[in-house]
Amino acid sequence: MYIKLDHLTKQFGDTAVLDGISAQIQEGEFFVLVGPSGSGKSTLLRIIAGLIPASSGSVFFDSQNVTDLPPKDRHLTMVFQNYALLPFMSVADNIRFGLHNLDLDATEEAKRVNDALDMVHLTELRDRKPKELSGGQQQRVALARAIATKASLVLMDEPLSNLDAQLRTEMRQELVQLHKELGMTLLYVTHDQVEAMTMGERIMVLNDHHIQQVGTPLDLYNHPANKFVATFIGSPKMNMFDATVDALEHFATLELTDANQHSVRLPLPYDLAAGAYQLGIRPEKITLSRSASAGSFPVRVMAVANLGRESSVSLVNNGHEFIASVPEQYPVPENQIVYATLPTDAADLHFFDEKSNLAVNNKGVPEKAGVLDGIA
Amino acid sequence: MTTSLKHINHYFWLTLVALLMGAPILIGIWASLLPTADIAAGHLTSTNISLNNYIAAIQTTPVLRYMANSFIVAILITAGQFVLCTLAAYAFAFLDFKFKKQIFALFLITMMLPFEAQIIPNFQTIRVFGWLDSYAGLTIPFFASAFGVFMLRQAFLQVPDELHEYSQLIGLNHLQFLFKIVLPYSRSTLITFGLYMFLTHWNDYLWPLITTFSDSYRTTQVGLKQLQAQDTFSNWGVIMATAILILLPTLLILLVGQRYFKKGLNTGGLKA
Amino acid sequence: MELHKNPDNPLLVPSTAAASTKGRTLRKTNAALWFLLPSLVILAIFTFYPMIMTAIESLFSTNVRGELAQFVGFSNYAEIFSDPLFLKSLVNTFIFVITAGLGTIALALFLASMVSDKLRGNGFFRTAFASTMGISGAVASVLFLFLFNPSVGVIGLLLKNIGVKQNNLVADPTGAMIILVVVSIWMGTGFSFLNLLGALQSVPDDYYAVADLAGWSSWQKTWKITVPMVSPTLFFLLVVEIIGKFKTFTEIDLITGGGPDNATNFIAYKVYTDAFGNRNFGIAASEALVLTAIIAFATWFQFRFTERKVYYK
């Protein structure tokens, strides 16, 4: 089953929560809705579920317009952040309860419950009450309840955010695996971009009531459509520099200074109109060395976060702070002067229009948000 | 002072205060076991204890009938309130409708209006309905309770939104959601509610005093006045035995319900 | 699952919060009506109607059967406020309410602070102190009538033995008032005790730990931590007790009958005697409205306050 969202909007009173949401989700896709809190992603999920009415626009499941269909008739199931388990029912009964409106016969019901329990490895705990389980186990019960319905669409609302960090990483793998085995369409809401990147086949980034971009994880990382996506995806965040483009001379002047107190200039990788831009560069594309070389400029080390196999180095030059990621341990003391080199590859330099914040491609025309995978 | 001495001191005072607080009941129980002759002579230290007063109370007074009446009345009111308050509280907790705020305010306003100021017209209403001296007259006026609605609404609001959403996904209708999720979820508040309402109406006095005229419908509390008036200060033993009999269900409920009452206090306070 | 097979019954429509179409909103409004109707009908007949009738009756003179005779405007009110008996009743009611209210809270606070820490055996005493909660006015009245009885009661005999001439307190205006106050405190303590105990125990231990680290004395700890933390509960209870004691009826009816010399003819009792004793319904109705005004004000005060308390949580 594929899903089509057609110009959905939602207002609560006078407050706009969602505006002009159009997208298409493919059958069997692991599709992630990601955005900061308040971006409307949970609201969008609930509109798709039918729990909240849209103010305008339509939702299609395959070719059927389901906009006015009550949730129970949409043949979907949902996994919630706080699990939504009934505290007074055993694990098995909770799962059976989820089959309420399917009108299954007793044998089929029992089989579904057993299979689902087996799938999430909770068969031994079937008679426990949710209270007697750990958070991770409770989440597995919620998953099993969803699995047992065999719904072809599963919605998940921040299902892992109440788990501790290590368990969360494990559960991500399990969810991806589960999706592979069962092949349902999976809509997954999270505020965590790492979760989105590691799990999603495609990702919709929401912010400020609007779709910012829809694409595969690498699309978003390599070709962010605007400044928001550029800084939201990736950790540590993409650095942003003020840049002034001189079209004739074909270079960009940054507000950074080299050893001679001259402004740092970068040759343009493609043609750009003259004017003011924001230049985004990922931390791992900035190289550091102890000695000066052609094209490098001096920076002062403010702090080093050693992560073991890599290090994030906070740097300052001419009052501008930025971060370089170094793929090694980096035992340099604070206030030490080192030399930074910026990349020159077209793929590593992301220019954003100063006014619209949209990415500009190598023809100098701002791209439209969502154009990569919007509604065709 | 050493710690253990301090403790002994602490327990000494506690015991003393507890005895003082319990004295009216303890002395009442003691007196109920003594022959009236001994009481009348001021011999409270008599050791002639027996259950004779209780036997006499049961055989010579309608106390059991009174208790049965009170039991029926309190149960009917509790059940009636349970149904009506649950329905109203459900609407306020889970439904959207026009004038919701205003209607809720209307319910709350009734908590500001003392029943004492309504008894005259209510008496007339009951008389017109032909409900004087009947279970209907004793119970139906109390079937609605703003306090009960308020208390249950508070409890219902504790049901997580996600469970409400889930129930819609699996297609529960209002009554299924109410019975399968909301009520089991609010179990401890419902028990508190039931015990509290039973106790409150077991203790009703003014309304039964005005509207009952016969032993067939007279309730315990009013019955106690009746017995006391008939026996004017003569048969203390039987009067005390009757009072203790009437007190027993109360003490039983307090003992059983103690942890629920404590919980109820923590979740918003009890007292109509 | 027969329940959800009949979509025409408003109670059985899906419990959906969503309602994008007008039709669905309408159906939901209907459902709410069915849920509320039973309560609204009972309230209309037995609360709002009588309240309005009482207000109307207070503007009329009435015959002995309680039927409205003649519109008299506010002269019933003028009459009661110039009636020394009513004014006396009002003053005595206030004396009773304040004394019994403060006494109840003070005793409850004392008891709660005695057993609030986790010493062994305190659980037993907590149960003991809470046990007066829920005892009926009638039973309490009989128990205390016995205690204060001048010839057979423990206290009556005690008073006699220490040489009190008038040891029949019920026959003495001040004595009768004292008995009612004592009974009222005894009955009310359990409820306030449980509340205060909860409040005392919910003060986080961390606060005291910080105070200990800062070297505060126990006196400082009491005044700077315990009192501010418990004072919302104290205030709440005071209002609740005051409202409850304004409605005192049973104990008066059974112990003093409003006497002697109308010393304990408190307002709720006076409404009853004027209506069902003197058959003066117009006067009783205006007295009832004065009582309503007092209680409505106190309740409103409590609502406002509870709202704040909840908010601060």
Side-chain angles (χ1 to χ4, degrees):
Chain A
M1 180 171 75
Y2 74 87
I3 301 166
K4 196 170 96 178
L5 311 178
D6 189 7
H7 293 96
L8 287 173
T9 65
K10 178 68 191 174
Q11 275 123 17
F12 285 121
D14 294 334
T15 325
V17 184
L18 290 171
D19 193 15
I21 304 293
S22 294
Q24 197 156 327
I25 295 145
Q26 307 306 327
E27 173 149 9
E29 193 167 28
F30 196 133
F31 191 88
V32 177
L33 299 168
V34 70
S37 59
S39 60
K41 54 192 187 301
S42 285
T43 307
L44 180 54
L45 196 73
R46 279 165 174 71
I47 289 174
I48 295 171
L51 295 168
I52 297 180
S55 301
S56 68
S58 316
V59 179
F60 293 88
F61 286 178
D62 292 330
S63 53
Q64 190 196 3
N65 186 339
V66 297
T67 314
D68 289 326
L69 224 52
K72 70 179 172 76
D73 297 330
R74 297 192 180 198
H75 306 296
L76 50 79
T77 185
M78 200 161 164
V79 179
F80 296 89
Q81 178 172 0
N82 296 308
Y83 322 131
L85 299 176
L86 296 163
F88 43 85
M89 278 186 193
S90 71
V91 165
D93 287 342
N94 260 289
I95 297 171
R96 190 171 300 119
F97 193 62
L99 306 173
H100 169 85
N101 66 340
L102 298 184
D103 281 330
L104 303 174
D105 64 55
T107 15
E108 172 67 10
E109 221 174 58
K111 185 177 175 324
R112 294 252 190 126
V113 172
N114 293 338
D115 290 354
L117 277 169
D118 191 42
M119 204 154 217
V120 298
H121 316 297
L122 281 179
T123 306
E124 289 89 68
L125 303 180
R126 58 178 299 141
D127 295 323
R128 297 266 188 98
K129 294 275 167 65
K131 245 189 303 193
E132 302 161 330
L133 304 180
S134 70
Q137 289 167 333
Q138 290 183 33
Q139 189 53 280
R140 277 166 205 271
V141 179
L143 272 180
R145 189 172 63 181
I147 291 167
T149 65
K150 297 194 172 168
S152 53
L153 174 60
V154 179
L155 312 183
M156 299 196 180
D157 185 18
E158 306 252 12
L160 303 185
S161 59
N162 282 1
L163 305 179
D164 63 51
Q166 201 188 342
L167 194 57
R168 198 153 56 209
T169 319
E170 283 172 33
M171 285 298 287
R172 279 178 204 157
Q173 297 309 316
E174 276 188 46
L175 277 179
V176 170
Q177 199 56 42
L178 211 60
H179 173 249
K180 249 183 213 150
E181 279 171 42
L182 301 174
M184 71 289 209
T185 310
L186 180 52
L187 243 72
Y188 189 100
V189 162
T190 178
H191 66 279
D192 180 354
Q193 59 93 13
V194 178
E195 211 161 278
M197 293 291 282
T198 51
M199 299 171 76
E201 290 171 340
R202 280 195 312 146
I203 298 169
M204 175 192 286
V205 182
L206 279 167
N207 188 43
D208 202 18
H209 329 308
H210 292 276
I211 296 181
Q212 301 294 322
Q213 190 172 2
V214 180
T216 65
L218 290 183
D219 267 344
L220 301 185
Y221 194 81
N222 295 332
H223 307 291
N226 57 38
K227 217 176 110 182
F228 177 81
V229 176
T231 49
F232 186 74
I233 301 286
S235 174
K237 288 196 334 191
M238 183 187 276
N239 297 299
M240 284 290 162
F241 302 98
D242 291 326
T244 313
V245 164
D246 185 326
L248 287 178
E249 297 287 326
H250 211 65
F251 57 73
T253 308
L254 308 183
E255 289 191 342
L256 301 170
T257 53
D258 64 14
N260 303 321
Q261 297 300 313
H262 293 135
S263 291
V264 172
R265 305 208 297 194
L266 268 180
L268 284 183
Y270 38 77
D271 289 336
L272 280 178
Y277 292 85
Q278 291 270 302
L279 170 60
I281 300 176
R282 296 238 174 247
E284 69 271 20
K285 300 298 181 186
I286 299 175
T287 46
L288 295 182
S289 87
R290 310 281 174 114
S291 52
S293 61
S296 75
F297 55 96
V299 288
R300 189 157 54 84
V301 174
M302 297 179 68
V304 179
N306 275 303
L307 303 174
R309 73 190 144 79
E310 62 177 58
S311 310
S312 305
V313 188
S314 302
L315 305 160
V316 67
N317 169 295
N318 194 25
H320 293 277
E321 291 174 23
F322 59 100
I323 290 177
S325 289
V326 184
E328 62 190 9
Q329 296 179 5
Y330 200 70
V332 171
E334 281 173 34
N335 290 322
Q336 171 109 6
I337 303 293
V338 297
Y339 295 86
T341 310
L342 301 180
T344 52
D345 227 352
D348 301 334
L349 298 174
H350 305 274
F351 284 94
F352 299 96
D353 186 85
E354 177 106 314
K355 286 208 183 76
S356 67
N357 285 328
L358 296 179
V360 287
N361 65 14
N362 53 16
K363 294 199 180 66
V365 183
E367 281 183 29
K368 262 169 76 187
V371 81
L372 283 169
D373 265 284
I375 213 155
Chain B
M1 213 189 297
T2 66
T3 325
S4 64
L5 213 61
K6 226 168 151 179
H7 281 178
I8 291 171
N9 199 27
H10 175 80
Y11 288 129
F12 171 76
W13 285 108
L14 271 182
T15 311
L16 194 69
V17 175
L19 278 177
L20 272 178
M21 287 294 293
I25 298 176
L26 297 176
I27 292 173
I29 293 174
W30 180 250
S32 74
L33 301 170
L34 296 180
T36 295
D38 285 5
I39 302 173
H43 290 155
L44 285 177
T45 49
S46 157
T47 49
N48 261 333
I49 60 170
S50 71
L51 290 175
N52 290 342
N53 290 327
Y54 288 88
I55 296 164
I58 289 169
Q59 284 175 345
T60 63
T61 75
V63 62
L64 287 186
R65 177 75 213 197
Y66 294 161
M67 288 179 77
N69 286 339
S70 272
F71 189 80
I72 291 168
V73 166
I75 286 285
L76 282 177
I77 293 178
T78 305
Q81 283 192 359
F82 176 82
V83 174
L84 268 63
C85 294
T86 296
L87 288 175
Y90 181 89
F92 287 123
F94 296 111
L95 300 179
D96 271 326
F97 50 92
K98 271 187 198 165
F99 307 120
K100 183 172 175 176
K101 268 190 181 164
Q102 288 83 343
I103 296 176
F104 190 61
L106 202 66
F107 273 74
L108 289 190
I109 284 172
T110 66
M111 286 164 77
M112 305 167 96
L113 307 174
F115 182 68
E116 289 73 8
Q118 299 152 18
I119 47 167
I120 304 166
N122 273 341
F123 177 79
Q124 289 155 348
T125 305
I126 295 292
R127 189 176 52 195
V128 170
F129 286 0
W131 288 356
L132 284 175
D133 209 26
S134 76
Y135 290 133
L138 285 170
T139 57
I140 292 174
F142 300 99
F143 275 10
S145 160
F147 169 71
V149 171
F150 188 71
M151 181 176 175
L152 293 185
R153 171 183 166 268
Q154 292 303 97
F156 291 176
L157 287 176
Q158 306 300 313
V159 175
D161 282 348
E162 291 185 346
L163 274 181
H164 190 205
E165 293 181 333
Y166 186 72
S167 74
Q168 294 163 32
L169 283 184
I170 61 173
L172 300 189
N173 64 38
H174 287 306
L175 287 186
Q176 288 170 326
F177 177 52
L178 179 63
F179 279 103
K180 292 186 181 210
I181 296 185
V182 176
L183 292 182
Y185 204 91
S186 315
R187 192 174 152 266
S188 81
T189 303
L190 292 173
I191 293 175
T192 314
F193 172 83
L195 294 177
Y196 182 76
M197 289 309 173
F198 182 90
L199 210 53
T200 302
H201 294 288
W202 177 264
N203 290 348
D204 270 345
Y205 183 81
L206 177 54
W207 186 245
L209 177 70
I210 297 169
T211 61
T212 59
F213 313 115
S214 71
D215 285 344
S216 312
Y217 296 101
R218 196 169 278 135
T219 59
T220 49
Q221 313 298 332
V222 180
L224 201 54
K225 178 186 184 175
Q226 191 74 9
L227 294 181
Q228 194 215 1
Q230 288 165 356
D231 271 327
T232 331
F233 300 103
S234 58
N235 202 342
W236 275 110
V238 172
I239 290 176
M240 296 318 273
T242 317
I244 299 302
L245 276 177
I246 294 172
L247 182 59
L248 282 180
T250 308
L251 290 181
L252 199 69
I253 285 181
L254 285 175
L255 215 64
V256 173
Q258 206 194 15
R259 72 197 175 98
Y260 292 103
F261 284 120
K262 252 182 149 174
K263 245 190 215 158
L265 295 179
N266 296 335
T267 55
L270 280 176
K271 198 145 196 174
Chain C
M1 298 303 108
E2 278 308 307
L3 284 176
H4 68 293
K5 291 276 159 69
N6 177 4
D8 291 332
N9 186 329
L11 297 186
L12 303 182
V13 303
S15 65
T16 311
S20 59
T21 60
K22 197 126 199 220
R24 241 186 282 161
T25 318
L26 214 69
R27 242 166 64 196
K28 217 159 33 120
T29 309
N30 281 339
L33 185 69
W34 288 109
F35 280 92
L36 291 172
L37 201 61
S39 285
L40 284 174
V41 167
I42 298 287
L43 286 179
I45 299 176
F46 295 107
T47 302
F48 291 116
Y49 167 75
M51 212 56 234
I52 292 165
M53 279 312 290
T54 301
I56 291 173
E57 274 178 29
S58 77
L59 303 175
F60 281 80
S61 63
T62 50
N63 65 22
V64 286
R65 270 166 298 164
E67 290 150 356
L68 303 182
Q70 194 189 348
F71 179 77
V72 295
F74 288 100
S75 65
N76 282 332
Y77 291 95
E79 194 176 320
I80 61 170
F81 278 107
S82 56
D83 175 9
L85 214 56
F86 180 72
L87 295 178
K88 181 179 177 180
S89 162
L90 216 51
V91 170
N92 284 345
T93 308
F94 274 97
I95 293 174
F96 167 76
V97 164
I98 303 286
T99 328
L102 288 177
T104 301
I105 307 281
L107 179 59
L109 184 61
F110 170 69
L111 296 179
S113 60
M114 276 181 93
V115 294
S116 72
D117 44 9
K118 293 179 182 88
L119 272 181
R120 271 191 71 182
N122 278 357
F124 167 79
F125 288 107
R126 281 175 204 154
T127 307
F129 293 160
S131 65
T132 62
M133 184 174 95
I135 291 180
S136 74
V139 169
S141 297
V142 169
L143 293 177
F144 276 87
L145 269 174
F146 179 65
L147 285 181
F148 281 101
N149 186 289
S151 48
V152 303
V154 173
I155 298 176
L157 292 175
L158 193 76
L159 290 173
K160 192 175 175 187
N161 286 341
I162 61 172
V164 178
K165 271 204 187 114
Q166 172 54 293
N167 77 332
N168 186 10
L169 289 188
V170 182
D172 175 71
T174 316
M177 174 75 97
I178 290 173
I179 293 182
L180 287 180
V181 168
V182 168
V183 175
S184 186
I185 291 177
W186 186 74
M187 285 174 65
T189 300
F191 174 77
S192 292
F193 163 79
L194 269 190
N195 266 286
L196 285 168
L197 186 65
L200 283 174
Q201 290 176 332
S202 70
V203 179
D205 287 342
D206 293 359
Y207 291 10
Y208 295 110
V210 171
D212 284 338
L213 290 175
W216 289 11
S217 66
S218 61
W219 187 85
Q220 278 174 311
K221 280 190 280 188
T222 305
W223 282 101
K224 291 188 175 174
I225 301 174
T226 315
V227 169
M229 291 296 287
V230 175
S231 61
T233 308
L234 272 179
F235 186 70
F236 164 79
L237 286 174
L238 194 60
V239 180
V240 168
E241 285 301 332
I242 283 178
I243 293 172
K245 296 198 193 306
F246 263 113
K247 299 180 183 178
T248 301
F249 178 88
T250 313
E251 301 92 286
I252 303 173
D253 192 38
L254 279 167
I255 298 178
T256 68
D261 189 21
N262 286 303
T264 58
N265 195 359
F266 303 153
I267 182 162
Y269 194 68
K270 194 163 182 337
V271 171
Y272 165 77
T273 46
D274 279 339
F276 294 94
N278 304 336
R279 299 262 145 194
N280 201 338
F281 289 100
I283 290 289
S286 40
E287 288 169 347
L289 277 192
V290 173
L291 176 67
T292 306
I294 296 171
I295 286 176
F297 174 74
T299 317
W300 172 80
F301 204 61
Q302 180 206 336
F303 278 170
R304 293 283 312 257
F305 180 74
T306 323
E307 229 170 76
R308 263 216 334 259
K309 193 175 150 204
V310 170
Y311 179 73
Y312 281 129
K313 265 185 185 167

